[in-house]
Amino acid sequence: MKKTKKSATPRSRMKTKGNLLDHDFSMLQEERDFARWLSKDLAVLDYFAGKPKTVPRELWITLETLRIKKSKALFVELLYALTHKYFPPKDARRLWDLLVAHKKDLTKKIGREIGMKAAVLDYMEQHADQFQPLQILPEEDLDTLLLFANRDGMTGLLNHRYFQERLRYELDRSKRYKHTFTLLFIDLDRFKKFNDTYGHLKGDILIKEIAEFLKYSCRQSDEVARYGGDEFAIILPETKNQEALILASRLTHTFGDRPFTGRQGIHLKEVSLSIGVANFPRDGKFAEDLIDAADQALYRAKRGGRNCICQGQRIIRKRIRASKPQH
């Protein structure tokens, strides 16, 4: 039997594309994987700017599928990967077109190909009155800077400022794709008494381990933040109300069973979790409304005796279990 000769892609060409082929591109259908990938492989930005040769030809179908699927939301993520700033979809598409046109003008004037990163920096420097100043940093320095800018120093969770940004991003994404998502506000019951009894050092240890407990209990796609003090917030993307209540119930009932390194001689039974729940679009269609709904629900949970869950006027004390699938 005559063997069919395979068309080989030159290895040198594959190596010079930032090792793009080392990625599992089947995962790029996921929203968050795509955003994280963009922030590392900026050659893809030039692809969407009209330069397909920046990535291997084998990826074109994948990228074009993403272009169709994401529509205007694509440009939000492209700009976020370049600038680490959030632009609403309508503004993002308009700005992207301006940047692509500026890139072409620079390429023509200079006489050699200009990348999107250089074009964005030049454009925003020229329009400094409209944008905050940008500074080019080595990738490792940028990662460190973003870690300090977006993370709480004690727990490593998202900080309050970045939580607000991620909430608005999730809200916009859910509106566009007609998804639902849920917001949890979590507060430690009697934390002041714990601090007064055992000292602030033990209190800090407790806060850190609560953060680990929440991260361990959530999915990788969930956004866990330290909202402030002993209060935490969790964004649950594409999560229906009942699914969120099951998670909240599991958190309240397993919290006291988890061993804490700061436990020596300390009884944590007097410390518990109160949780307020707000669902989009059921409890609000804007970020401020959802935050207010979750905060009010948390307040009612605290007033209702603590160690419970509240959504709207409904207070839940008993454990909620997932219903068994019907055969």
Side-chain angles (χ1 to χ4, degrees):
M1 182 182 292
K2 186 178 179 180
K3 293 184 178 180
T4 306
K5 187 177 180 180
K6 296 181 180 179
S7 58
T9 302
R11 297 299 298 177
S12 59
R13 175 171 170 251
M14 293 166 64
K15 294 280 188 181
T16 57
K17 302 302 179 184
N19 292 325
L20 289 169
L21 294 183
D22 291 344
H23 294 272
D24 177 8
F25 290 104
S26 65
M27 297 299 291
L28 293 185
Q29 302 301 325
E30 297 295 330
E31 301 283 337
R32 298 180 188 281
D33 289 333
F34 178 63
R36 289 167 182 157
W37 178 54
L38 274 180
S39 68
K40 295 294 183 183
D41 293 300
L42 296 181
V44 181
L45 299 168
D46 287 319
Y47 174 90
F48 287 114
K51 293 294 179 181
K53 292 183 180 180
T54 57
V55 299
R57 191 180 184 89
E58 301 90 278
L59 298 184
W60 290 6
I61 294 176
T62 300
L63 295 176
E64 287 306 311
T65 301
L66 286 168
R67 187 199 298 270
I68 294 170
K69 176 185 175 183
K70 289 178 173 291
S71 186
K72 289 182 180 180
L74 171 68
F75 303 99
V76 176
E77 298 187 30
L78 293 174
L79 288 173
Y80 189 84
L82 273 167
T83 67
H84 296 283
K85 299 180 187 298
Y86 172 78
F87 296 91
K90 184 178 179 181
D91 296 339
R93 177 56 194 270
R94 182 176 59 84
L95 179 56
W96 181 260
D97 289 342
L98 290 172
L99 292 171
V100 171
H102 186 67
K103 175 181 180 295
K104 291 178 180 178
D105 288 342
L106 280 178
T107 297
K108 185 177 180 180
K109 290 176 181 178
I110 296 176
R112 59 180 175 82
E113 189 63 40
I114 300 298
M116 277 301 292
K117 187 159 63 171
V120 167
L121 181 63
D122 184 72
Y123 183 89
M124 291 191 170
E125 285 290 335
Q126 289 187 26
H127 299 80
D129 57 324
Q130 301 176 34
F131 305 100
Q132 294 179 2
L134 299 180
Q135 182 178 2
I136 295 179
L137 295 172
E139 184 174 306
E140 59 273 16
D141 291 347
L142 179 60
D143 288 343
T144 302
L145 180 62
L146 289 175
L147 178 65
F148 282 106
N150 298 334
R151 298 284 171 177
D152 172 63
M154 178 185 291
T155 64
L157 300 179
L158 302 185
N159 59 25
H160 183 278
R161 181 198 62 78
Y162 195 53
F163 160 78
Q164 297 281 351
E165 185 173 328
R166 294 308 301 174
L167 178 62
R168 282 166 173 76
Y169 175 87
E170 188 58 45
L171 186 69
D172 185 79
R173 192 177 73 91
S174 296
K175 286 179 180 178
R176 176 166 298 278
Y177 295 110
K178 295 179 171 56
H179 292 160
T180 184
F181 77 93
T182 305
L183 175 64
L184 303 183
F185 267 20
I186 303 170
D187 189 75
L188 281 176
D189 299 326
R190 305 179 184 88
F191 181 66
K192 183 179 184 302
K193 180 180 178 181
F194 181 92
N195 262 345
D196 292 342
T197 303
Y198 302 111
H200 290 279
L201 181 59
K202 293 293 185 184
D204 288 347
I205 293 174
L206 180 58
I207 289 290
K208 291 176 186 178
E209 300 210 358
I210 297 280
E212 287 298 320
F213 166 72
L214 295 177
K215 285 194 294 185
Y216 177 81
S217 302
C218 292
R219 304 167 300 182
Q220 187 174 2
S221 60
D222 299 334
E223 303 277 15
V224 185
R226 187 182 183 195
Y227 197 74
D230 60 331
E231 192 169 340
F232 300 85
I234 306 177
I235 302 170
L236 304 171
E238 298 181 38
T239 303
K240 296 179 181 178
N241 187 65
Q242 187 63 19
E243 296 169 338
L245 290 176
I246 291 170
L247 170 62
S249 177
R250 188 168 74 245
L251 292 176
T252 57
H253 285 83
T254 60
F255 169 72
D257 298 332
R258 181 178 171 85
F260 290 88
T261 58
R263 181 188 282 273
Q264 295 89 347
I266 297 175
H267 299 288
L268 294 179
K269 291 184 178 179
E270 68 269 22
V271 182
S272 56
L273 300 182
S274 290
I275 302 179
V277 182
N279 178 264
F280 169 84
R282 170 178 165 172
D283 298 307
K285 296 183 179 180
F286 299 95
E288 294 78 9
D289 296 335
L290 285 170
I291 290 173
D292 184 62
D295 194 44
Q296 291 297 322
L298 176 60
Y299 175 76
R300 282 189 284 272
K302 302 281 283 186
R303 290 291 299 270
R306 303 183 179 89
N307 194 28
C308 60
I309 305 159
C310 180
Q311 180 176 41
Q313 301 295 327
R314 179 189 178 194
I315 294 181
I316 303 166
R317 299 187 187 283
K318 65 179 182 179
R319 184 162 188 175
I320 303 173
R321 300 183 184 276
S323 58
K324 295 182 179 179
Q326 297 180 354
H327 298 285

